[in-house]
Amino acid sequence: MSSPVAPPTRRPPRLAFLTVPLMIGLIYNAISLLTLPFSGDTLNTLLGELGAASGQPPVTLSQAQIMTVLWLSFFLTAGLILLLYFTRRAVLEGRSWGRVASIVIAVLSLLLFPVGTVLGIIMLIGAFDRDVQAYTSR
């Protein structure tokens, strides 16, 4: 006796409005993670320029503080990459939490002007499409 298999559901065309921006974010953050080890000297340079522009005395981070900032950035970026990966996978599988997570990511992306704003709007259009809602409510 075999159990009945549900017929395969076609993916809606606007599902790509969610999956493509998630993949773009995933690739962008992966590249950012790869360049992170080379950012140590950039932090003190940036803080020096900020101090000069604001008229305040420049702030210089010690080597231990730079390492702390870089490790914290590493773990936050790695967490974001995992969130983007699992959200994209959940959307492709039609899970409802993937659509909800996509909406949250899209709203936060609206703050990243100009590219993030465009991607966030595209994601919101895709997330509120009727076919995508039906597909992700399985």
Side-chain angles (χ1 to χ4, degrees):
M1 300 205 160
S2 64
S3 60
V5 177
T9 306
R10 284 195 66 202
R11 291 183 178 157
R14 286 206 177 161
L15 190 67
F17 281 32
L18 289 176
T19 59
V20 172
L22 288 171
M23 182 58 82
I24 290 170
L26 189 113
I27 292 170
Y28 173 78
N29 284 297
I31 291 170
S32 174
L33 190 65
L34 291 174
T35 62
L36 192 61
F38 308 107
S39 303
D41 294 333
T42 308
L43 291 172
N44 277 332
T45 304
L46 182 64
L47 287 172
E49 290 175 6
L50 181 64
S54 65
Q56 300 292 324
V59 177
T60 305
L61 297 177
S62 68
Q63 197 63 23
Q65 290 172 325
I66 290 175
M67 291 304 293
T68 302
V69 168
L70 290 179
W71 277 110
L72 183 63
S73 299
F74 172 81
F75 287 117
L76 289 174
T77 306
L80 181 59
I81 289 170
L82 288 173
L83 173 69
L84 292 170
Y85 172 77
F86 286 116
T87 300
R88 184 177 184 275
R89 194 167 119 188
V91 168
L92 286 172
E93 292 174 358
R95 299 177 190 244
S96 61
W97 72 264
R99 182 178 159 271
V100 172
S102 295
I103 292 171
V104 171
I105 292 169
V107 169
L108 293 175
S109 294
L110 293 173
L111 301 173
L112 302 172
F113 187 78
V115 176
T117 304
V118 173
L119 292 177
I121 291 170
I122 291 170
M123 287 177 70
L124 287 173
I125 291 170
F128 290 108
D129 183 64
R130 289 181 196 264
D131 295 334
V132 172
Q133 287 179 356
Y135 180 78
T136 56
S137 64
R138 301 187 289 147

